[in-house]
Amino acid sequence: MVIAERLEPLTADDDEIRRALEDAFLPAILPALAHATGDISILRPGLLPERTTPGAVQGGMTPEQQQQAKEIAFAALKRLRDSTGITPLHTEADLRAILAWMTNGKASDDYIPLLLEELSPDQDFRAPKWRMPAGTAYSVAIVGAGMSGILAGIRLKQAGVPFTIFEKNDDVGGTWYDNTYPGARVDVPNHFYSYSFAQKPDWPKYFSTQETLLDYFRSCCDDFGIRASIRFRTEVTSADWDDERAIWRLTVRGADGAEETVETNALICATGQLNRPRYPEVEGRDTFAGPAFHSARWDHSVDLHGKRVAVIGNGASAAQFVPIIAEQVAELTIFQRTPNWFVPVPTYHDDVADGLRWLMRRVPYYAHWYRFWMFWNTTEGLLAAATVDENWPDKSKSISQESEMLRMLLAGYLQAQFADRPDLLEKVMPQYPPGAKRMILDNGVWAAALKRPNVHLVTDRIARITPSGVVTADGTEHAADILIYATGFMASEFMTPMRVRGRGGLDLWDFWGGDARAYLGVVVPHFPSFFMMYGPNTNIVVNGSITYFSECEMQYILGCLRLVLEGKHRALDCRQDVYEAYNVRIDEENKKRAWGVSGVPSWYKNAKGRVSQNWPFNAIEYWQQTREPNPADFELL
């Protein structure tokens, strides 16, 4: 699934090339053509803006800049078509020059090693460079066959390490298997929300739907040959460390309820943060007489047509399914606790333009530079706006000059969307800094749904649920035939309901005291050769893609396994002082971010009020810290 193997020959005539360029993303195709032709002069000064903002078209290029860029790209594509013996750029100096142009000189040389990994069309630089020594008796168990679990299996297979993946469902996909509600789709561009080593030049949409993503992860399982190592419909209920034998003993339960014990040398928990639905603690919740279900466990047997439907919650999932079901139901009442910031993304529901897909399949390096553009603008572009300026006078609605600029842009978007409905505008306008809770991508469908005559937005507090509806604090009962909970997940309750007991029988949840932490989000002291993926403080808000983070995590885990296997050790255990110092730094930095300083309710914080989910730094720092483990951070057993 490497891009270079999928490229088609560029044999089109001039008219076809020009038509395709009408759909090109110009800030990425110019670097790709400079890279492919060896002609750095393609990157003309002044074509890119100083910075981009959410919703900007073509990276903020003016119409004149866009036309100039198309002419430059057209000439370069003709050279690629008509010439032979063209030598691509390949040195670090070349990459540094392209990088400087794309980021207007803002990216440091620290990005060069990362670029060498991200932009190689012929080699998977993140694949393990070692294999388990022959004759070694060693195995790894992975819990979960979602995005991270599949990745773990692929990398372990490449390293020659025997493994078994335990998956409670009857297929792979994790969140993309569970969440089948209408309109479910990713909110990270697909060219970034995908494995770096398994890129697709032919994504059908810019932000693909659940079905497409599930197919992608199924294909990755099959293409890399790991499906045979997955035990489906099998749940790990507990994991116990054997101090004497230095192994993990798992209790697993099959679909028939029968339990068995499985022994393994290392354990990777890839269950993620968003896998267990959270239901609100509301009086009378179990008394509702009609169908009631969580959006993550959508009941497709329930017909919504012509019914009165109540939706509790207005977060990311509700923003996707509400506009769809609003067209089906007789009445829709949405109960909102806190309004959301919406980021304008006009292409959110769009098919990828034909010309863009045509170019992706024919232009070397295009998909990689397109991916890097997303990486740069995601990891660096909004982090400044989420960073606290200690001298900023009033931090209730914004936290810095950059934050205020973003707030004004997003507020302007809402004002334009609800200009004809000031009653709704008052309800939907957030009164907290952007980034303090999850921002939602939107192309206008949310406002259109709320303005429908059969849709009602209720902001009064819910007092209780009755057999026939929802009663708010003002005493009004909102009648409903069907109740849908869009109330998120038990994000901070990692791995529940599975129990993990480490050295001396120490229970992981007792050790955490309800406040989950890990070193690099991966390892925890007193739990040898136990690894987490998408663990504490690895959630991405404005600074990256979880797929990218999972690749970093798995590279780190492979390094840990290599320390054990090549050193002929039995296991390794993170040092307590390393773990504690790291988490002090994480907590200090999270307090300097919008989600740490704001008091707005959010799943980013746990029951103790600590930000237990989010990574506060930029993405390259996580990549640097996880490239390989420091042996001094561990006790080798």
Side-chain angles (χ1 to χ4, degrees):
M1 298 186 74
V2 178
I3 280 287
E5 297 174 350
R6 292 182 162 213
L7 287 177
E8 299 174 14
L10 182 58
T11 58
D13 60 27
D14 289 3
D15 289 341
E16 189 173 2
I17 291 175
R18 284 196 180 277
R19 285 195 299 272
L21 281 172
E22 290 302 309
D23 295 330
F25 185 69
L26 300 170
I29 199 168
L30 293 182
L33 290 169
H35 194 167
T37 62
D39 182 6
I40 201 70
S41 70
I42 286 173
L43 305 178
R44 307 288 172 82
L47 274 185
L48 278 180
E50 188 62 26
R51 65 181 298 165
T52 60
T53 55
V57 177
Q58 292 289 5
M61 283 186 177
T62 66
E64 293 76 16
Q65 288 175 318
Q66 292 177 41
Q67 188 57 43
Q68 183 183 358
K70 288 175 186 176
E71 291 303 321
I72 294 169
F74 176 66
L77 284 166
K78 286 204 301 180
R79 288 203 304 275
L80 275 180
R81 180 194 64 190
D82 301 336
S83 304
T84 58
I86 291 178
T87 302
L89 300 176
H90 63 279
T91 68
E92 288 194 13
D94 295 331
L95 291 176
R96 190 174 291 112
I98 299 176
L99 184 68
W101 183 85
M102 284 192 86
T103 66
N104 282 296
K106 292 183 174 66
S108 69
D109 286 351
D110 292 340
Y111 275 88
I112 297 300
L114 173 60
L115 277 174
L116 291 173
E117 288 187 4
E118 285 285 324
L119 295 174
S120 172
D122 302 308
Q123 185 177 352
D124 177 7
F125 272 92
R126 291 182 184 146
K129 306 299 186 296
W130 60 277
R131 288 186 64 82
M132 189 175 78
T136 304
Y138 196 88
S139 67
V140 177
I142 303 166
V143 184
M147 180 272 294
S148 294
I150 293 169
L151 169 66
I154 291 171
R155 292 311 196 199
L156 289 172
K157 183 174 182 179
Q158 290 170 333
V161 179
F163 67 94
T164 302
I165 302 176
F166 297 93
E167 171 54 56
K168 61 182 174 56
N169 295 324
D170 57 11
D171 201 355
V172 302
T175 190
W176 301 113
Y177 177 92
D178 289 333
N179 286 269
T180 61
Y181 59 81
R185 68 177 61 233
V186 70
D187 59 3
V188 175
N190 270 134
H191 294 85
F192 197 15
Y193 189 85
S194 49
Y195 300 130
S196 64
F197 56 89
Q199 288 292 289
K200 277 171 57 71
D202 55 352
W203 288 108
K205 294 182 179 294
Y206 294 100
F207 298 85
S208 284
T209 61
Q210 173 263 336
E211 298 93 339
T212 300
L213 291 164
L214 183 56
D215 286 344
Y216 171 75
F217 290 116
R218 285 169 172 164
S219 295
C220 288
C221 261
D222 295 334
D223 291 349
F224 289 93
I226 68 167
R227 186 174 289 271
S229 298
I230 305 174
R231 289 184 57 178
F232 292 108
R233 303 180 71 191
T234 304
E235 184 172 9
V236 179
T237 59
S238 65
D240 293 88
W241 175 253
D242 186 319
D243 288 309
E244 182 177 349
R245 297 176 58 203
I247 61 167
W248 283 99
R249 189 174 293 107
L250 312 182
T251 301
V252 303
R253 183 169 56 222
D256 60 358
E259 292 188 342
E260 64 176 297
T261 300
V262 176
E263 295 182 348
T264 189
N265 299 93
L267 175 61
I268 299 174
C269 185
T271 54
Q273 297 185 14
L274 307 178
N275 67 327
R276 296 283 175 178
R278 178 180 295 280
Y279 293 86
E281 296 181 3
V282 178
E283 178 188 341
R285 183 166 65 83
D286 295 332
T287 68
F288 186 71
F293 52 86
H294 195 281
S295 59
R297 301 292 184 268
W298 196 273
D299 188 344
H300 292 276
S301 68
V302 176
D303 185 5
L304 304 182
H305 289 82
K307 303 294 178 58
R308 298 170 301 176
V309 177
V311 174
I312 297 179
N314 62 305
S317 298
Q320 292 181 340
F321 73 74
V322 159
I324 295 175
I325 69 170
E327 299 179 357
Q328 305 169 0
V329 304
E331 275 194 279
L332 179 61
T333 304
I334 305 162
F335 295 89
Q336 170 186 286
R337 180 179 65 173
T338 309
N340 301 295
W341 284 114
F342 286 86
V343 178
V345 180
T347 60
Y348 189 42
H349 289 152
D350 290 359
D351 293 338
V352 175
D354 292 341
L356 179 59
R357 296 176 70 181
W358 188 93
L359 291 164
M360 286 278 187
R361 294 195 298 267
R362 291 168 175 82
V363 180
Y365 310 107
Y366 187 20
H368 298 276
W369 283 111
Y370 188 69
R371 178 182 170 92
F372 179 74
W373 172 268
M374 295 174 187
F375 178 94
W376 171 256
N377 280 278
T378 302
T379 59
E380 300 289 352
L382 288 178
L383 186 58
T387 301
V388 175
D389 177 356
E390 293 299 333
N391 297 318
W392 194 249
D394 181 3
K395 299 182 179 64
S396 61
K397 295 184 180 180
S398 60
I399 54 175
S400 67
Q401 183 62 43
E402 292 86 352
S403 172
E404 176 63 13
M405 291 172 61
L406 179 60
R407 188 195 69 80
M408 291 176 64
L409 185 151
L410 301 182
Y413 176 69
L414 287 174
Q415 288 163 354
Q417 291 284 304
F418 292 94
D420 58 337
R421 289 292 302 275
D423 58 317
L424 283 174
L425 178 61
E426 183 179 359
K427 292 182 176 181
V428 302
M429 183 65 72
Q431 302 299 316
Y432 58 85
K437 62 178 298 184
R438 185 174 182 176
M439 295 188 289
I440 297 175
L441 306 190
D442 180 63
N443 58 355
V445 298
W446 182 249
L450 294 192
K451 287 190 266 187
R452 291 177 60 92
N454 65 325
V455 176
H456 315 286
L457 181 64
V458 177
T459 58
D460 293 322
R461 181 180 61 83
I462 295 175
R464 64 186 183 278
I465 295 173
T466 69
S468 55
V470 179
V471 177
T472 47
D474 63 357
T476 301
E477 181 171 24
H478 303 267
D481 304 309
I482 300 167
L483 183 56
I484 302 174
Y485 295 102
T487 46
F489 300 86
M490 298 187 292
S492 60
E493 300 177 24
F494 291 88
M495 300 175 301
T496 53
M498 185 175 80
R499 302 307 297 254
V500 180
R501 301 174 185 86
R503 298 173 78 170
L506 176 64
D507 185 278
L508 180 57
W509 268 99
D510 290 343
F511 174 68
W512 278 337
D515 187 5
R517 303 168 185 260
Y519 178 52
L520 295 173
V522 178
V523 290
V524 182
H526 314 297
F527 296 84
S529 294
F530 169 74
F531 308 99
M532 303 175 70
M533 300 184 75
Y534 199 13
N537 293 111
T538 61
N539 183 59
I540 310 304
V541 182
V542 295
N543 47 351
S545 158
I546 188 57
T547 314
Y548 162 83
F549 259 55
S550 290
E551 290 195 40
C552 293
E553 290 158 3
M554 194 56 210
Q555 183 158 322
Y556 186 80
I557 293 169
L558 285 169
C560 291
L561 296 179
R562 185 177 186 178
L563 279 177
V564 171
L565 292 168
E566 293 190 348
K568 301 187 185 305
H569 303 289
R570 297 194 300 171
L572 85 177
D573 191 6
C574 177
R575 286 171 38 191
Q576 179 84 22
D577 60 328
V578 170
Y579 163 88
E580 290 177 352
Y582 170 83
N583 278 285
V584 167
R585 182 167 173 255
I586 286 289
D587 290 347
E588 289 175 348
E589 290 302 313
N590 267 321
K591 291 174 183 176
K592 301 174 184 177
R593 303 291 180 246
W595 50 83
V597 72
S598 174
V600 65
S602 168
W603 62 268
Y604 297 159
K605 296 179 181 179
N606 61 23
K608 295 180 178 292
R610 174 181 169 268
V611 179
S612 56
Q613 310 307 117
N614 294 353
W615 172 254
F617 305 101
N618 63 22
I620 194 172
E621 185 162 345
Y622 194 73
W623 175 79
Q624 291 168 333
Q625 292 184 32
T626 54
R627 294 191 77 186
E628 59 180 273
N630 180 358
D633 291 342
F634 296 93
E635 176 188 358
L636 293 163
L637 306 177

